[in-house]
Amino acid sequence: MDFSTPASALQSLQRREMVPPEVRSLGLKLAAGPFANDDALPGLPDEAVAGVKALLASHVWEALAVGLLLAKHVVDCQSIAIDDDFMETLFQVADTDLEHSEPRVRGLVAAMLGSLARREGKGLAVYDRFFARLSSSIESNFERTHHTITDRVSGDKEVAVDDTTGWKALETSILALKELVAAIGRPLADGGHMTDKVIDYTCRGATEHVNRHVREASFRLIAAIIEACESVEGCTAPAQGPLLTSRFVPAIAKGMQDNWSQVRFAASVANRALLGALPNAEAREAYFDLLLPRMCLNRYYMAEGVKLYSQETWRRYLDGEGRTMVAKHAPAVVAYYVAMTDANNHVVREAACHCIAEMAAKVDHAAIAPHVPALLRALLICFKDESWPVRDAACVASGRFAAAFPEECREQLPLLFERWFKHLAEPIWSVREDSAAALGEVCAAYGREAIDRCLAWVKEMLPKAREQPAQTYEEMKAMQNDAKAHTDKQRYSCGSLAPKLKKGGCSDCEVTRASVPWEYADGAIYMAKELCAVAPEEAAALLPQLADVAALTHFPQADTLRETLFKALPEMARTLGKKLFRPHLEALIGPLFDALARPGTHQLAGHAAGACVRELSAFMGPSIFRGRLSPDQIHIMETSPYVIRGVERALPPVPHGMGAESPPIGMAPWAQAVGVRMP
């Protein structure tokens, strides 16, 4: 069923085979009448009113849902007068079907109540009529582990509820109350309707309920209450007079770290409403010990909606003051980050590592220095995390941290180097690359003592590629496609080696794979690239060893090594400069063109080799580069699709006849760029 518009809903009703013929016939008449399109209704004939009432009285949930949608459409048209009889019918249906067994019906009841409350002069009357019913529904369903439903079709039936599926009428009753609050707004707050009772079960639902849908609905209600009050400092619950902030801020803070992304998002929406309702920056800062750390971390949260929404909230209320506020509230922020590095959810641990890296790079060092030991301990724990994205983020964060606080981190350097070098050979390539980047920052900060360690490691690990056992592509494919090796085995979650369905999702892991020789060599290539910036002469001396590694072909992963090297070479050349790079160019040309010439070359390695040829030619100069090539290599450069197609995409043709810059006759512009002579 499509309930996006009245016309779509009526069309869907015609296609439902289980719907009785008389209901489909009624829907057809309504679709041909005033509900033929989704524009505002010009009027409401008596036969249309009778048709809507007939649908609302149906025992078929699809017909009832369509009737509710049509009724809402009628109510939304403020220009149409609604008589008391039709209004009473809607009230009775809302009362009867508030706890209907079909959640789509309950959701439409909630939406219709909001529309009724938006009718001029009807808001408070609708609230007063339905508040007791809604309150009773919420309270009676709050603690139930099994929910008894009464509906028109099946009578009483008991349905089990849990922490992930919908909690039956509780969620939708809270949403119905939210619709009323959002529709009425400030008059509801001024009229003393925001009682302690409403605030109490709203906060309990947001923070204590086991069901994520209920928590999400509760935060949506909190946001509606705050927006209705407009200024939360001036809106009090009349019974005892506590400020809404004293109840809502702790609830919002807890929701912003909820394990379910949709709850975290709803709490973030409530947080923005709260910040907007507080009168000024000083009033907002009073709650930053709780709110600021969560706002910071959610800017790096994996769920895109939470991340982008949190970034926009940060810009809106802390633009230009974020670093100052983090430094000012550093104890609370640090304590939260450290706690989140031990969270059950691996994406939260990853975000915490990113936040620690950001803090080291951007926040006033004097404010962070006292907390370096605690933050460093947290990162060292994350180095051993079961989830590789967490280890990846920990590598980046630790490098920035050591570079920003070299003296404070000096005591832990031996352990840090041990972890960095271990991760340079990780089975995950991005962890290897980011470990090298971290060590590059460390070398820049610590100078010779760090450079010598890294050089020694690279020289030792580059030759390990020769120790990789020989294997053909066919043997590797046969092993990978062996059904017996992959049948009735443990399944693992994405983002880690963690078995699925264990407590904590990707956070529990008892399986790791030891690094193999070629992975050590791959990490050494990444590290050699970083050394070019801090020790150019020593790094240039490594180029012949890199060429030797690129010449290996006795195992399938050798193509991955070549891909890594060919992606790194242009940047290494630019960093070293022509004087240091030129003497080693010929040693690298052989493996580079062998990768382009071999028919069995992996496509990623081929693309990397083609891009490397183009960039090195542009860097050295097309004529100089071409002069180092043999006739066979020139032919490969002129015919290899990895070279030619890449240049065609990167350099669109330039029209001839444009003066001195026009290419020679017979040479295309892209060919001139890399020194390719056209016949």
Side-chain angles (χ1 to χ4, degrees), residues 160-195:
V161 290
D162 54 41
D163 63 334
T164 56
T165 55
W167 202 270
K168 303 308 173 185
L170 179 57
E171 174 198 358
T172 47
S173 293
I174 292 173
L175 290 176
L177 183 57
K178 173 256 177 188
E179 290 286 342
L180 291 178
V181 172
I184 300 168
R186 183 74 192 194
L188 195 65
D190 291 340
H193 295 279
M194 295 299 175
T195 63

Side-chain angles (χ1 to χ4, degrees), residues 204-515:
R204 284 179 61 214
T207 61
E208 299 176 15
H209 205 278
V210 67
N211 185 267
R212 60 184 168 119
H213 299 286
V214 173
R215 296 198 301 275
E216 178 189 4
S218 298
F219 280 115
R220 292 174 65 183
L221 176 56
I222 287 176
I225 292 174
I226 293 172
E227 290 171 355
C229 293
E230 296 178 8
S231 174
V232 292
E233 291 288 357
C235 181
T236 61
Q240 299 177 358
L243 295 176
L244 287 179
T245 46
S246 66
R247 305 294 304 279
F248 285 163
V249 169
I252 291 172
K254 187 172 182 180
M256 289 171 70
Q257 65 184 54
D258 197 275
N259 202 42
W260 288 95
S261 297
Q262 64 265 50
V263 180
R264 194 176 286 241
F265 182 82
S268 298
V269 173
N271 175 62
R272 184 187 289 185
L274 177 72
L275 295 176
L278 289 166
N280 50 50
E282 183 179 353
R284 289 191 285 270
E285 189 181 346
Y287 303 101
F288 273 0
D289 275 352
L290 271 177
L291 299 178
L292 190 69
R294 291 150 180 85
M295 292 165 61
C296 283
L297 187 138
N298 283 346
R299 293 176 303 126
Y300 287 96
Y301 192 68
M302 182 183 69
E304 199 75 4
V306 174
K307 179 171 65 178
L308 296 178
Y309 192 88
S310 299
Q311 290 171 359
E312 174 59 29
T313 301
W314 189 270
R315 285 191 292 269
R316 187 174 297 186
Y317 293 105
L318 286 159
D319 189 25
E321 296 293 327
R323 301 183 188 192
T324 303
M325 288 296 107
V326 171
K328 193 172 181 179
H329 297 270
V333 175
V334 169
Y336 182 71
Y337 286 175
V338 170
M340 291 302 102
T341 59
D342 194 36
N344 285 334
N345 191 328
H346 74 93
V347 300
V348 175
R349 300 196 299 274
E350 180 187 354
C353 290
H354 287 307
C355 288
I356 291 173
E358 179 188 51
M359 178 180 280
K362 296 181 179 179
V363 180
D364 179 50
H365 284 195
I368 305 304
H371 307 287
V372 168
L375 291 168
L376 201 53
R377 282 195 300 271
L379 290 178
L380 286 169
I381 293 172
C382 288
F383 261 111
K384 291 188 173 182
D385 201 274
E386 297 87 352
S387 174
W388 70 259
V390 179
R391 297 196 300 272
D392 197 357
C395 287
V396 174
S398 59
R400 291 184 182 176
F401 216 78
F405 300 96
E407 293 308 315
E408 290 86 346
C409 295
R410 187 174 294 277
E411 184 180 346
Q412 296 285 1
L413 271 185
L415 181 57
L416 283 168
F417 272 111
E418 177 189 329
R419 301 282 170 86
W420 283 321
F421 288 148
K422 180 180 183 298
H423 285 79
L424 271 174
E426 264 275 337
I428 306 298
W429 71 267
S430 65
V431 179
R432 298 195 293 269
E433 183 180 32
D434 286 337
S435 294
L439 280 166
E441 294 192 59
V442 170
C443 288
Y446 288 93
R448 204 69 243 175
E449 62 176 309
I451 292 171
D452 289 342
R453 281 181 182 239
C454 294
L455 273 170
W457 191 91
V458 171
K459 290 176 181 179
E460 179 185 357
M461 297 304 166
L462 270 176
K464 275 187 171 289
R466 297 185 178 278
E467 302 173 14
Q468 183 70 24
Q471 188 182 39
T472 65
Y473 276 103
E474 290 71 23
E475 290 171 340
M476 182 182 70
K477 290 179 179 178
M479 182 184 68
Q480 292 174 342
N481 295 326
D482 183 4
K484 293 182 180 179
H486 306 290
T487 302
D488 295 329
K489 302 295 182 181
Q490 174 68 60
R491 292 182 301 165
Y492 296 92
S493 176
C494 61
S496 74
L497 293 176
K500 286 186 176 180
L501 304 179
K502 290 187 68 178
K503 181 181 178 182
C506 293
S507 65
D508 292 312
C509 175
E510 298 172 356
V511 179
T512 57
R513 175 174 75 74
S515 300

Side-chain angles (χ1 to χ4, degrees), residues 16 33 59 64 71 92-93 109 112 140 154 170 201 226 230 244 256 296-297 344 559 585 592 649 658 668 674:
R16 300 289 286 188
H59 287 183
L64 173 59
Q92 289 177 2
V93 170
V109 168
M112 188 186 70
S140 63
S154 58
L170 179 57
Y201 63 60
I226 293 172
E230 296 178 8
L244 287 179
M256 289 171 70
C296 283
L297 187 138
N344 285 334
D559 278 329
L585 178 60
L592 188 60
R649 286 195 296 268
M658 298 299 290
V674 294

Side-chain angles (χ1 to χ4, degrees), residues 570-643:
E571 183 180 341
M572 294 175 71
R574 288 189 292 268
T575 305
L576 292 172
K578 293 181 180 180
K579 182 178 179 180
L580 288 176
F581 185 77
R582 186 184 295 113
H584 306 286
L585 178 60
E586 289 186 18
L588 293 162
I589 282 176
L592 188 60
F593 278 85
D594 285 346
L596 289 173
R598 282 195 307 117
T601 297
H602 192 277
Q603 286 190 0
L604 292 177
H607 280 289
C612 188
V613 166
R614 296 193 302 270
E615 292 190 51
L616 289 182
S617 177
F619 172 71
M620 299 300 299
S623 60
I624 294 175
F625 185 80
R626 183 185 180 88
R628 303 295 179 96
L629 305 182
S630 69
D632 288 342
Q633 290 169 342
I634 292 174
H635 176 72
I636 291 171
M637 186 170 67
E638 291 176 347
T639 58
S640 171
Y642 294 125
V643 178

